[in-house]
Amino acid sequence: MQLAERVERISVSATLAVLMEAERYKARGVDVVDFGPGEPDFQTPERIKRAAIRALDENRTKYTATAGISPLRQAVCDWHARELGSSYQASECIVTVGGKHAIFNAVNALVNTGDEVLIPSPYWVSYPDIVKYAGGRPVFIPTDAADGFCLRAERVERAIHQRTRIAIVNSPNNPTGAVVPPDEFAKIFDVCKRRGVWLLSDECYSHFTYGSAKPYSIASLPGSKEHVIIAGSLSKTFAMTGWRLGYALAPAPLVEAMTKLQSQSTSNPNSITQYAALEALTGPMDSVATMLAEYARRRTRILESLSAIPGITCAEPQGAFYVFPNVAACLKKNGAGRVTDSGEPDTSTVARELLERQHVAVVPGEAFGAAGFLRISYATSMERIEEGLRRLRQFFGSGS
Ligand SMILES: Cc1ncc(COP(=O)(O)O)c(C=O)c1O
């Protein structure tokens, strides 16, 4: 079938492909330990669900303004100011169908054919495809495991060329869990400002930080707003992935352009979800603290256990709910089938074998531009984590 060239440019999310394969195993009754999920294993808090039911009872079932109901746009700004120290007004906020949609709108509102968008690597799978769809060119900025995968301003500077339009920063990062410290973030901002490049900050995991890392937004930096686009989401923070509610904060003319685009594609995000989101953002943050405490416990356990497997090394993630171990040394031990023709570690094959032989689902590093690594999500119960770790030890420890 002849499809439009712009659709041929992109591919189906590699993380979804792995999850789908795991689902097929589960459907056959196989006991899969699923380290794949990119979503909280917690339920949406009761008060948020109640607000949705109330909205239904009150017949809040009509179209809303494209950029979202006014109280919600204001609530996003107030919440962001309270939690992350920014100072946006409702006219600088658009509510979107998830954080991905906020990024999609922003990129499509700014990128012309041939423009370059800087993407720190390893990267969340959707960035390159969103950029390609818009006709842009993804340019990857490497980050190093030895440096905790931290994005460095000097590398951003080096990657900027005449056609660079946007630099994406994702902190905490999916898949590495890396957090860019505020001083480095400020340096990255300075580079972007000086070189006339938009800084698109994906704050989807903002509230999941560990140790000395704290939730931080570059929009709290005085004078930054003019050059910054914030993409945020309620998906992870409030365990609301299926509700589909995100937002962007940006200068009003850009918000207007994104709203125009949204008006000709999805129109407003679901009306019921918007009322639920209003409750989420105006109520207490205790559910976030509960999730964070549990994630912290799991993270410690996984790191301790993985580091005891010979050949596996793992940078300590400062945020999100993933660990991203390097398993390349394990693969070299038994050679064939685990190295691609170009000599790269073949972690796609490893992930497939892990699923087939140990019934453990992980996402191979290739999906994030980082062969040799596996992404392990700890958004699953401690009991399942223990079982999964036992299977991982068996798989890697036995040299299989
Ligand atoms: C880094 C990152 N950004 C954005 C998103 C988008 O999430 P959503 O569209 O559910 O808000 C995700 C989801 O996995 C993510 O990992």
Side-chain angles (χ1 to χ4, degrees):
M1 190 192 301
Q2 182 96 33
L3 295 171
E5 188 266 330
R6 83 180 76 81
V7 171
E8 298 288 9
R9 264 182 248 151
I10 61 175
S11 42
V12 177
S13 158
T15 45
L16 288 183
V18 178
L19 295 187
M20 273 157 52
E21 185 60 17
E23 286 311 316
R24 277 194 281 275
Y25 272 72
K26 286 188 212 167
R28 296 206 315 263
V30 177
D31 171 31
V32 174
V33 175
D34 197 350
F35 283 138
E39 62 182 346
D41 55 315
F42 296 89
Q43 302 307 333
T44 305
E46 209 51 39
R47 66 182 175 88
I48 300 173
K49 293 196 275 190
R50 293 279 136 220
I53 292 165
R54 227 169 25 246
L56 260 180
D57 286 342
E58 289 168 3
N59 292 310
R60 310 273 192 197
T61 55
K62 311 285 191 203
Y63 292 130
T64 73
T66 300
I69 55 172
S70 297
L72 179 56
R73 291 171 79 190
Q74 188 59 51
V76 170
C77 298
D78 294 345
W79 180 85
H80 204 271
R82 202 164 58 241
E83 293 290 322
L84 296 159
S86 64
S87 58
Y88 287 100
Q89 297 173 8
S91 59
E92 298 167 310
C93 173
I94 175 174
V95 178
T96 56
V97 186
K100 184 186 282 184
H101 190 212
I103 296 164
F104 185 91
N105 282 345
V107 168
N108 277 281
L110 286 173
V111 168
N112 279 316
T113 305
D115 282 349
E116 295 182 357
V117 176
L118 307 184
I119 299 174
S121 174
Y123 49 79
W124 178 48
V125 289
S126 289
Y127 298 140
D129 287 288
I130 290 174
V131 170
K132 285 187 212 162
Y133 182 82
R137 206 167 74 78
V139 173
F140 300 107
I141 310 178
T143 61
D144 303 328
D147 190 24
F149 294 107
C150 184
L151 178 64
R152 296 290 167 190
E154 70 200 30
R155 293 205 177 169
V156 176
E157 174 110 57
R158 251 185 281 146
I160 293 177
H161 293 110
Q162 214 187 338
R163 294 298 304 266
T164 310
R165 188 80 169 122
I166 301 175
I168 296 178
V169 179
N170 174 214
S171 173
N173 178 280
N174 173 11
T176 65
V179 170
V180 178
D183 57 342
E184 192 69 38
F185 221 139
K187 286 185 201 160
I188 294 168
F189 167 74
D190 282 341
V191 168
C192 290
K193 182 179 169 188
R194 190 159 34 80
R195 305 288 299 270
V197 169
W198 285 96
L199 198 170
L200 170 52
S201 179
D202 179 350
E203 299 181 348
C204 192
Y205 295 92
S206 62
H207 280 63
F208 300 121
T209 54
Y210 310 100
S212 59
K214 296 283 172 275
Y216 174 78
S217 175
I218 190 64
S220 64
L221 197 72
S224 62
K225 272 170 50 176
E226 243 179 275
H227 311 274
V228 163
I229 306 154
I230 301 294
S233 171
L234 274 65
S235 286
K236 326 281 174 174
T237 316
F238 296 99
M240 291 179 73
T241 45
W243 297 71
R244 310 307 303 133
L245 204 291
Y247 57 85
L249 298 164
L254 179 52
V255 164
E256 275 165 34
M258 291 168 71
T259 306
K260 184 164 70 171
L261 180 58
Q262 185 158 298
S263 76
Q264 301 299 5
S265 51
T266 60
S267 297
N268 58 271
N270 177 293
S271 59
I272 309 298
T273 292
Q274 290 191 55
Y275 285 94
L278 185 58
E279 170 60 36
L281 296 172
T282 52
M285 291 286 287
D286 50 349
S287 59
V288 184
T290 306
M291 281 194 281
L292 185 62
E294 179 57 22
Y295 286 146
R297 210 165 68 87
R298 297 172 186 175
R299 168 182 167 276
T300 303
R301 176 70 190 116
I302 289 200
L303 281 174
E304 169 192 279
S305 185
L306 282 180
S307 62
I309 300 177
I312 293 188
T313 52
C314 192
E316 191 176 317
Q318 307 288 302
F321 40 68
Y322 311 105
V323 288
F324 200 56
N326 185 338
V327 299
C330 293
L331 313 189
K332 287 200 188 108
K333 272 198 310 210
N334 47 340
R338 305 286 182 68
V339 176
T340 62
D341 292 345
S342 56
E344 289 254 285
D346 181 1
T347 19
S348 290
T349 300
V350 172
R352 209 173 45 248
E353 287 178 0
L354 251 173
L355 186 59
E356 279 167 13
R357 293 177 16 202
Q358 293 291 343
H359 303 149
V360 172
V362 296
V363 185
E366 284 87 342
F368 314 100
F373 295 82
L374 298 175
R375 190 191 76 174
I376 296 177
S377 160
Y378 47 90
T380 188
S381 73
M382 195 63 127
E383 187 200 341
R384 297 307 284 163
I385 288 172
E386 291 296 355
E387 175 59 18
L389 288 169
R390 191 187 65 73
R391 296 183 194 183
L392 284 176
R393 275 194 297 273
Q394 211 159 44
F395 184 83
F396 288 110
S398 66
S400 55

